[in-house]
Amino acid sequence: MTDLALAYRIMAAPDPTNPISSVFTPTTPSSSSQTTRPKILGICRPWFSSASPLVLSACSALISHYTTNLGYTTTDISLPHLHAGQLAHALTILSEISSYPALSVPSIPTTLSPANKLLLGVGAQIPATDLLLAQQLRNMLMQHLAHLFRQHPGLLIVTPTTPNAGWRRYEQDMRCGVSDANMSVQSMR
Protein backbone atom coordinates (compact mmCIF):
# COMPACT_ATOMS: atom_id res chain seq x y z
CA MET A 1 0.00 0.00 0.00
CA THR A 2 2.94 2.30 0.62
CA ASP A 3 3.96 2.02 -3.05
CA LEU A 4 0.45 2.91 -4.16
CA ALA A 5 0.34 5.92 -1.83
CA LEU A 6 3.72 7.10 -3.10
CA ALA A 7 2.66 6.64 -6.74
CA TYR A 8 -0.50 8.65 -6.07
CA ARG A 9 1.44 11.46 -4.40
CA ILE A 10 3.80 11.68 -7.38
CA MET A 11 0.94 11.69 -9.93
CA ALA A 12 -1.11 14.15 -7.89
CA ALA A 13 1.72 16.65 -7.49
CA PRO A 14 0.79 20.01 -9.00
CA ASP A 15 2.58 21.00 -12.19
CA PRO A 16 4.46 24.22 -11.35
CA THR A 17 4.44 25.24 -15.04
CA ASN A 18 0.65 25.00 -15.32
CA PRO A 19 -1.14 28.17 -14.18
CA ILE A 20 -4.14 26.20 -12.89
CA SER A 21 -2.61 23.18 -11.16
CA SER A 22 0.28 25.21 -9.71
CA VAL A 23 -2.10 26.84 -7.21
CA PHE A 24 -2.95 23.48 -5.60
CA THR A 25 -1.14 22.30 -2.49
CA PRO A 26 1.02 19.18 -2.89
CA THR A 27 -0.41 16.08 -1.22
CA THR A 28 1.16 14.89 2.00
CA PRO A 29 0.94 11.46 3.60
CA SER A 30 -1.72 11.27 6.27
CA SER A 31 -1.27 9.48 9.56
CA SER A 32 -4.24 7.27 8.66
CA SER A 33 -2.28 5.83 5.72
CA GLN A 34 -0.10 4.03 8.25
CA THR A 35 -3.03 2.18 9.81
CA THR A 36 -4.01 -1.30 8.75
CA ARG A 37 -7.06 -1.27 6.52
CA PRO A 38 -8.95 -4.11 4.94
CA LYS A 39 -7.63 -5.13 1.55
CA ILE A 40 -10.67 -5.03 -0.74
CA LEU A 41 -10.78 -4.97 -4.54
CA GLY A 42 -13.99 -3.49 -5.93
CA ILE A 43 -15.00 -5.08 -9.23
CA CYS A 44 -17.58 -3.47 -11.52
CA ARG A 45 -18.53 -6.48 -13.70
CA PRO A 46 -20.24 -4.48 -16.47
CA TRP A 47 -17.04 -2.48 -16.96
CA PHE A 48 -15.07 -5.69 -17.39
CA SER A 49 -17.60 -7.15 -19.82
CA SER A 50 -16.72 -4.57 -22.48
CA ALA A 51 -12.98 -5.33 -22.41
CA SER A 52 -11.24 -7.31 -25.14
CA PRO A 53 -10.21 -10.88 -24.25
CA LEU A 54 -6.54 -9.84 -24.05
CA VAL A 55 -7.26 -7.00 -21.60
CA LEU A 56 -9.71 -9.16 -19.62
CA SER A 57 -7.07 -11.87 -19.28
CA ALA A 58 -4.48 -9.38 -17.95
CA CYS A 59 -6.96 -7.92 -15.45
CA SER A 60 -8.05 -11.37 -14.28
CA ALA A 61 -4.41 -12.35 -13.73
CA LEU A 62 -3.86 -9.20 -11.67
CA ILE A 63 -6.93 -9.85 -9.51
CA SER A 64 -5.88 -13.47 -9.04
CA HIS A 65 -2.39 -12.38 -7.95
CA TYR A 66 -3.77 -9.86 -5.46
CA THR A 67 -6.27 -12.29 -3.95
CA THR A 68 -3.98 -15.33 -3.93
CA ASN A 69 -0.65 -13.76 -2.96
CA LEU A 70 -1.38 -10.43 -1.31
CA GLY A 71 -4.40 -11.14 0.90
CA TYR A 72 -7.04 -9.08 -0.91
CA THR A 73 -10.70 -10.00 -1.09
CA THR A 74 -13.07 -8.93 -3.84
CA THR A 75 -16.49 -7.37 -3.73
CA ASP A 76 -18.81 -6.55 -6.59
CA ILE A 77 -19.65 -2.88 -6.89
CA SER A 78 -22.03 -1.03 -9.14
CA LEU A 79 -21.45 2.26 -10.89
CA PRO A 80 -24.66 3.96 -11.99
CA HIS A 81 -24.94 5.25 -15.56
CA LEU A 82 -21.64 3.56 -16.42
CA HIS A 83 -21.74 4.04 -20.19
CA ALA A 84 -22.99 7.64 -19.95
CA GLY A 85 -20.28 8.37 -17.38
CA GLN A 86 -17.61 7.00 -19.69
CA LEU A 87 -18.90 9.15 -22.55
CA ALA A 88 -18.98 12.18 -20.22
CA HIS A 89 -15.35 11.48 -19.36
CA ALA A 90 -14.37 11.29 -23.05
CA LEU A 91 -16.32 14.49 -23.78
CA THR A 92 -14.49 16.23 -20.94
CA ILE A 93 -11.08 15.08 -22.17
CA LEU A 94 -11.79 16.28 -25.72
CA SER A 95 -13.11 19.61 -24.46
CA GLU A 96 -10.16 20.14 -22.14
CA ILE A 97 -7.56 19.29 -24.77
CA SER A 98 -9.30 21.49 -27.31
CA SER A 99 -9.28 24.41 -24.87
CA TYR A 100 -5.48 24.71 -24.72
CA PRO A 101 -4.45 27.73 -26.82
CA ALA A 102 -1.58 25.85 -28.43
CA LEU A 103 -4.04 23.22 -29.66
CA SER A 104 -6.87 25.52 -30.69
CA VAL A 105 -8.45 24.82 -34.07
CA PRO A 106 -6.89 27.77 -35.97
CA SER A 107 -3.38 26.88 -34.80
CA ILE A 108 -3.37 23.09 -34.41
CA PRO A 109 0.28 22.03 -34.49
CA THR A 110 1.45 20.45 -37.72
CA THR A 111 3.09 17.64 -35.73
CA LEU A 112 -0.33 16.16 -34.98
CA SER A 113 -1.65 13.47 -37.28
CA PRO A 114 -4.68 14.28 -39.43
CA ALA A 115 -6.78 11.96 -37.27
CA ASN A 116 -5.82 13.83 -34.08
CA LYS A 117 -6.43 17.17 -35.76
CA LEU A 118 -9.92 15.96 -36.67
CA LEU A 119 -10.57 14.74 -33.14
CA LEU A 120 -9.46 18.10 -31.68
CA GLY A 121 -11.72 19.87 -34.15
CA VAL A 122 -14.66 17.79 -32.97
CA GLY A 123 -13.75 18.49 -29.34
CA ALA A 124 -13.77 22.22 -30.04
CA GLN A 125 -17.38 21.99 -31.23
CA ILE A 126 -18.83 20.45 -28.06
CA PRO A 127 -21.68 22.71 -26.85
CA ALA A 128 -21.39 24.22 -23.37
CA THR A 129 -24.71 22.62 -22.38
CA ASP A 130 -23.31 19.15 -23.15
CA LEU A 131 -20.17 19.90 -21.16
CA LEU A 132 -22.24 21.11 -18.19
CA LEU A 133 -24.43 17.99 -18.29
CA ALA A 134 -21.31 15.82 -18.43
CA GLN A 135 -19.93 17.57 -15.32
CA GLN A 136 -23.21 17.07 -13.46
CA LEU A 137 -23.05 13.36 -14.25
CA ARG A 138 -19.42 13.17 -13.21
CA ASN A 139 -20.27 14.92 -9.93
CA MET A 140 -23.01 12.37 -9.23
CA LEU A 141 -20.56 9.55 -9.96
CA MET A 142 -17.98 11.10 -7.61
CA GLN A 143 -20.60 11.20 -4.85
CA HIS A 144 -21.34 7.53 -5.47
CA LEU A 145 -17.61 6.70 -5.33
CA ALA A 146 -17.32 8.58 -2.03
CA HIS A 147 -20.20 6.43 -0.73
CA LEU A 148 -18.40 3.23 -1.85
CA PHE A 149 -15.16 4.31 -0.14
CA ARG A 150 -17.06 5.06 3.10
CA GLN A 151 -18.90 1.72 2.86
CA HIS A 152 -15.70 -0.26 2.18
CA PRO A 153 -12.67 1.31 3.93
CA GLY A 154 -9.50 0.31 2.10
CA LEU A 155 -11.34 -0.26 -1.17
CA LEU A 156 -9.32 -0.29 -4.39
CA ILE A 157 -11.50 -0.17 -7.48
CA VAL A 158 -10.07 -2.31 -10.25
CA THR A 159 -11.07 -1.63 -13.85
CA PRO A 160 -9.44 -2.21 -17.20
CA THR A 161 -7.48 0.99 -17.90
CA THR A 162 -8.59 0.69 -21.50
CA PRO A 163 -10.96 -1.83 -23.06
CA ASN A 164 -8.51 -2.72 -25.81
CA ALA A 165 -4.80 -3.25 -26.14
CA GLY A 166 -4.64 -0.98 -29.17
CA TRP A 167 -5.82 -1.35 -32.70
CA ARG A 168 -4.27 -2.63 -35.86
CA ARG A 169 -1.99 -0.25 -37.71
CA TYR A 170 -1.55 -0.41 -41.45
CA GLU A 171 1.30 0.93 -43.60
CA GLN A 172 -0.92 3.58 -45.23
CA ASP A 173 -1.71 4.91 -41.75
CA MET A 174 1.91 6.02 -41.47
CA ARG A 175 1.66 8.06 -44.67
CA CYS A 176 -1.82 9.54 -44.38
CA GLY A 177 -2.99 8.94 -40.82
CA VAL A 178 -6.18 7.22 -39.84
CA SER A 179 -9.32 8.44 -38.17
CA ASP A 180 -11.10 5.92 -36.00
CA ALA A 181 -13.06 8.16 -33.65
CA ASN A 182 -14.96 5.22 -32.16
CA MET A 183 -11.73 3.54 -31.05
CA SER A 184 -10.33 6.86 -29.81
CA VAL A 185 -13.40 7.51 -27.65
CA GLN A 186 -13.47 3.88 -26.50
CA SER A 187 -9.85 4.20 -25.35
CA MET A 188 -10.69 7.28 -23.25
CA ARG A 189 -13.03 5.51 -20.89
Side-chain angles (χ1 to χ4, degrees), residues 10 113-114 181:
I10 291 169
S113 71

Side-chain angles (χ1 to χ4, degrees), residues 19-147:
I20 295 172
S21 76
S22 64
V23 299
F24 289 96
T25 306
T27 60
T28 55
S30 66
S31 59
S32 64
S33 67
Q34 305 304 320
T35 62
T36 304
R37 292 181 175 215
K39 295 180 171 185
I40 303 170
L41 300 177
I43 311 293
C44 179
R45 301 282 173 200
W47 196 313
F48 276 79
S49 68
S50 66
S52 72
L54 182 63
V55 171
L56 190 57
S57 173
C59 288
S60 296
L62 172 97
I63 292 168
S64 177
H65 174 74
Y66 271 57
T67 56
T68 304
N69 301 325
L70 301 177
Y72 281 81
T73 60
T74 62
T75 187
D76 286 343
I77 60 169
S78 67
L79 297 173
H81 309 292
L82 180 62
H83 183 67
Q86 291 167 337
L87 289 176
H89 180 64
L91 184 143
T92 302
I93 291 170
L94 283 176
S95 296
E96 184 176 358
I97 291 171
S98 298
S99 72
Y100 291 120
L103 296 176
S104 65
V105 174
S107 62
I108 292 177
T110 56
T111 55
L112 291 178
S113 71
N116 285 332
K117 289 178 185 179
L118 178 66
L119 208 51
L120 285 177
V122 169
Q125 302 305 311
I126 295 170
T129 52
D130 289 351
L131 185 60
L132 289 172
L133 289 171
Q135 302 322 300
Q136 288 173 352
L137 179 58
R138 289 171 52 131
N139 182 49
M140 184 270 302
L141 289 169
M142 291 302 291
Q143 290 175 11
H144 180 70
L145 288 172
H147 163 75

